[in-house]
Amino acid sequence: RVGSATSLSSAIINTRLQELVKLFKERTEKVKEKLTDPDATSDDESPTTSPAKPAPAAAPVPPPAGEPEGDKPAGDEHYCEMLCCTFKYRPWLDHLKNYQFPSSIDPLTNLMYVLWLFFVVMAWNWNCWLIPVRWAFPYQTPANIHCWLVVDYLCDLIYLLDILVFQTRLQFVRGGDIITDKKAMKENYLRSQRFKMDVVCLLPLDFFYFKVGINPLLRFPRCLKYMAFFEFNNRLEAILSKAYIYRVIRTTAYLLYSLHVNSCLYYWASAYEGLGSTTWVYDGEGNSYIRCYYWAVKTLITIGGLPDPKTLFEIVFQLLNYFTGVFAFSVMIGQMRDVVGAATAGQTYYRSCMDSTIKYMNFYKIPKTVQNRVKTWYEYTWHSQGMLDELELLVQLPDKMRLDIAIDVNYNIVSKVALFQGCDRQMIFDMLKRLRSVVYLPNDYVCKKGEIGREMYIIQAGQVQVLGGPDGKTVLVTLKAGSVFGEISLLAAGGGNRRTANVVAHGFANLFILDKKDLNEILVHYPESQKLLRKKAKKMLKTGNKPKDEKGGPGDPLIIPPKADTPKLFQAALAATGRMGGKGPLAQLRWRLKELKAMQA
């Protein structure tokens, strides 16, 4: 019994040691793969935490009311206990309570500052539009004066908060450095022209109300806060995707405001002369603002059909209106033309390129089928990209910004290519800047069987089909967006390997192309990555990482073509001749075979 127990324990120990040796070997292989390819994900499972032993003195905590045993609230849920009940509350209330106003504000990128400028501009528009109305028309009465004053002082409060809270926290650039110091930002604002205009805007002329009454003209300095309006325009246009729409609305508002001011002046002139005193002045019937606005439109746009002025005051007023109308209307038309021209500049460039290309094809009598394909390419490229050549846009940017854009657009796709995994990260970045975007039309050949491969293709959008078979038209596989093909061609020696199948665009396809020449220029600066790529390319070729239609197709040329295996019976005869030491024909053949094997080796 003692002997059997000893043998059993030794067998268990041997089995355990074999398992440990096997695990060590597997771990060694994985470490080797990780060192060869650092970007490869590990197949090891995440370590499981051992269950913690409960403290002996800990008492079990009962779950909240209405919650089953064993269920615990998720980590992102928050509960509030009150009396015997548990209530769920939103975490944004905590964020709101703990929110701290920023000590410095970036005026170029901070959306909160743009939102605040919107409120400042609304207060500025209230003063600009309604001060003339309250001064000219009898809309401000003792019955509603308190409503006007409440809104007026609310606008004044917005002006004051803008000076004390926001403008003193705006960052600025001095000597190339972004200044965020509180004292420096405050001093910069106090020395600026903006501060002087803001102080003039808030002159307390309202104290004259006690002497001359509530006259809206005493609030006219509030209209001098125009710098906030122009700053808001610049910030809003920078964040809008279609800024020309806002420019059209703003130019239209300029025209409407000029008509608004003219209508107020006409009512004031009519009240000065006496309502209904002559045929030229407003007769006091109907809605006074609408009728005066109609008269201002006819005057500024010089439509005509107005009654002739009678008195000298009316003649001078009408002449000034005509001169101002012609000047203002021409300026508005010019601005509107510039806005529309800027909005359609890209479309105009596209049409001019299309017209020039069509004129060229008609001059050389290009077939209609080719012309139609060229037109289709123009249409699809313009509608899919919004431009004909992306390089025209990127060439204006600094090299660092071009790299940032290339990383955002292409890095996720290129980093998934097995050939480039484990390479130097900076080499990948340099390669991203060399990618070219090409659009292929339906049934266009991306590459043809037998041609030398010098490019790698990355599918950005659309699909391509790999064709093969005896007739060369059988669809072997369909590659979709994110797929890569032709990567082995970049590293093949001897002028490049030949394509083994036809690749055709199935519908419209947007592809990124990396040229072999560009990659070689990059690899000069990264010798370690070059060695790794060569090694991976050889490994991928050995493991058959090529299309299945490669059998019998033209491949990389070999110096000595492979020889068929020697029949087994003939090998046995040659071996017997060698043992016997014969000198006949078989011995000579055996000697020749040895020479051929040595040459192949």
Side-chain angles (χ1 to χ4, degrees):
R1 291 181 181 177
V2 174
S4 62
T6 304
S7 61
L8 181 61
S9 61
S10 62
I12 294 174
I13 292 173
N14 289 334
T15 305
R16 183 58 180 166
L17 287 175
Q18 291 177 1
E19 292 178 356
L20 290 175
V21 170
K22 185 179 179 181
L23 291 175
F24 280 130
K25 287 183 178 180
E26 293 179 356
R27 183 170 182 82
T28 304
E29 292 296 330
K30 290 178 181 179
V31 171
K32 287 183 179 179
E33 293 179 1
K34 189 67 177 176
L35 291 175
T36 306
D37 190 357
D39 291 343
T41 57
S42 176
D43 296 333
D44 295 339
E45 295 182 357
S46 301
T48 57
T49 57
S50 59
K53 296 181 180 180
V61 180
E67 186 177 343
E69 282 288 341
D71 293 342
K72 295 182 180 181
D76 57 346
E77 295 180 349
H78 300 263
Y79 292 85
C80 177
E81 295 183 1
M82 183 179 296
L83 297 180
C84 61
C85 301
T86 302
F87 299 95
K88 184 177 180 181
Y89 67 95
R90 298 180 181 177
W92 61 267
L93 292 175
D94 284 345
H95 293 296
L96 187 61
K97 293 177 182 177
N98 301 328
Y99 177 76
Q100 294 182 355
F101 198 80
S103 59
S104 64
I105 300 173
D106 184 3
L108 300 179
T109 59
N110 196 317
L111 296 180
M112 181 190 67
Y113 181 63
V114 178
L115 180 62
W116 171 252
L117 285 178
F118 170 76
F119 291 109
V120 176
V121 170
M122 292 299 294
W124 178 75
N125 275 281
W126 166 270
N127 292 314
C128 291
W129 285 79
L130 293 179
I131 286 177
V133 171
R134 295 159 60 186
W135 165 71
F137 291 91
Y139 291 152
Q140 179 176 299
T141 60
N144 60 14
I145 189 63
H146 60 279
C147 298
W148 294 103
L149 292 179
V150 167
V151 181
D152 285 344
Y153 293 126
L154 179 62
C155 295
D156 292 349
L157 178 62
I158 294 176
Y159 281 16
L160 188 61
L161 289 177
D162 183 60
I163 295 175
L164 299 178
V165 179
F166 284 88
Q167 296 301 321
T168 56
R169 285 178 166 85
L170 293 184
Q171 302 173 5
F172 66 98
V173 179
R174 183 172 61 191
D177 296 330
I178 300 177
I179 306 302
T180 59
D181 181 67
K182 292 183 179 180
K183 184 177 180 181
M185 290 186 296
K186 185 176 181 180
E187 291 177 354
N188 179 70
Y189 172 62
L190 296 178
R191 290 195 303 264
S192 64
Q193 184 71 21
R194 176 77 171 267
F195 173 71
K196 299 175 184 178
M197 295 300 299
D198 290 345
V199 171
V200 173
C201 290
L202 288 177
L203 286 178
L205 301 180
D206 303 49
F207 289 108
F208 289 99
Y209 286 172
F210 299 103
K211 186 174 183 180
V212 299
I214 301 177
N215 189 347
L217 286 181
L218 294 175
R219 292 186 55 82
F220 180 76
R222 305 296 190 272
C223 300
L224 299 179
K225 201 175 178 63
Y226 59 89
M227 290 186 178
F229 172 70
F230 290 113
E231 184 183 7
F232 174 72
N233 291 335
N234 295 333
R235 301 291 175 262
L236 188 62
E237 290 178 6
I239 62 177
L240 291 178
S241 58
K242 295 183 179 179
Y244 64 88
I245 297 178
Y246 174 72
R247 296 191 190 107
V248 171
I249 296 174
R250 186 183 62 203
T251 306
T252 305
Y254 289 159
L255 178 61
L256 296 178
Y257 182 72
S258 61
L259 295 174
H260 168 79
V261 173
N262 195 32
S263 64
C264 295
L265 292 175
Y266 175 65
Y267 186 87
W268 169 80
S270 300
Y272 178 79
E273 287 283 298
L275 298 180
S277 59
T278 64
T279 57
W280 180 83
V281 299
Y282 169 60
D283 56 5
E285 298 180 359
N287 189 295
S288 57
Y289 181 77
I290 297 298
R291 287 183 175 271
C292 292
Y293 201 91
Y294 173 73
W295 182 91
V297 171
K298 295 182 68 175
T299 303
L300 286 184
I301 304 180
T302 62
I303 296 177
L306 295 172
D308 295 332
K310 303 299 182 181
T311 64
L312 179 62
F313 175 80
E314 295 174 357
I315 294 174
V316 172
F317 188 89
Q318 187 70 13
L319 287 175
L320 293 176
N321 259 283
Y322 279 138
F323 288 134
T324 306
V326 171
F327 176 75
F329 197 69
S330 60
V331 170
M332 299 300 172
I333 294 297
Q335 282 194 0
M336 191 67 71
R337 181 201 60 188
D338 295 339
V339 170
V340 175
T344 59
Q347 186 73 18
T348 304
Y349 171 73
Y350 158 71
R351 292 306 313 174
S352 64
C353 292
M354 172 78 87
D355 295 341
S356 301
T357 305
I358 293 175
K359 184 179 179 180
Y360 174 84
M361 292 189 295
N362 290 335
F363 179 78
Y364 286 99
K365 298 180 181 179
I366 305 297
K368 288 295 182 182
T369 55
V370 179
Q371 292 192 24
N372 291 336
R373 292 183 67 81
V374 172
K375 294 176 184 177
T376 304
W377 181 87
Y378 268 104
E379 290 283 347
Y380 177 78
T381 304
W382 176 257
H383 289 297
S384 62
Q385 299 181 170
M387 62 188 71
L388 297 178
D389 188 5
E390 294 179 352
L391 296 179
E392 294 182 0
L393 172 65
L394 299 179
V395 75
Q396 303 173 4
L397 300 176
D399 188 70
K400 180 62 172 64
M401 291 186 180
R402 287 204 303 269
L403 176 60
D404 293 341
I405 294 176
I407 291 173
D408 292 336
V409 176
N410 308 327
Y411 183 75
N412 289 335
I413 298 176
V414 177
S415 61
K416 296 177 183 177
V417 181
L419 184 63
F420 299 124
Q421 290 182 359
C423 294
D424 194 304
R425 189 181 182 87
Q426 188 60 42
M427 190 214 76
I428 302 294
F429 291 165
D430 292 344
M431 189 178 64
L432 292 177
K433 295 186 291 185
R434 303 295 185 97
L435 294 178
R436 294 182 292 110
S437 178
V438 179
V439 175
Y440 288 90
L441 302 183
N443 300 322
D444 272 356
Y445 277 89
V446 180
C447 56
K448 292 186 178 181
K449 183 177 180 179
E451 67 181 12
I452 301 298
R454 298 184 181 88
E455 303 93 7
M456 180 192 76
Y457 301 91
I458 303 173
I459 304 177
Q460 180 191 16
Q463 299 179 357
V464 298
Q465 293 179 339
V466 182
L467 305 181
D471 56 351
K473 296 182 179 179
T474 304
V475 179
L476 301 179
V477 66
T478 300
L479 304 178
K480 300 182 180 180
S483 301
V484 180
F485 60 95
E487 63 269 27
I488 304 300
S489 304
L490 297 178
L491 299 171
N497 68 323
R498 295 183 179 273
R499 304 294 189 189
T500 58
N502 295 326
V503 180
V504 180
H506 181 62
F508 292 95
N510 293 53
L511 305 181
F512 287 121
I513 297 179
L514 177 62
D515 193 77
K516 184 176 182 178
K517 180 182 177 182
D518 294 335
L519 181 62
N520 290 336
E521 292 177 357
I522 296 172
L523 290 179
V524 172
H525 307 285
Y526 304 95
E528 295 297 329
S529 297
Q530 186 177 16
K531 293 178 183 178
L532 180 61
L533 289 178
R534 298 286 184 189
K535 184 178 179 180
K536 283 192 173 185
K538 291 179 182 179
K539 185 177 179 180
M540 294 173 73
L541 286 172
K542 288 180 181 179
T543 55
N545 193 19
K546 279 192 172 187
K548 298 298 182 182
D549 192 50
E550 205 171 28
K551 295 179 180 179
D556 290 337
L558 297 176
I559 299 175
I560 301 175
K563 183 178 176 294
D565 294 338
T566 307
K568 294 182 179 180
L569 182 60
F570 191 56
Q571 287 180 359
L574 291 176
T577 303
R579 287 193 299 268
M580 294 171 61
K583 297 181 180 180
L586 288 177
Q588 293 181 358
L589 284 175
R590 186 169 178 268
W591 179 75
R592 292 287 296 171
L593 286 174
K594 285 184 178 181
E595 283 190 343
L596 286 175
K597 288 182 179 179
M599 291 176 64
Q600 287 183 356

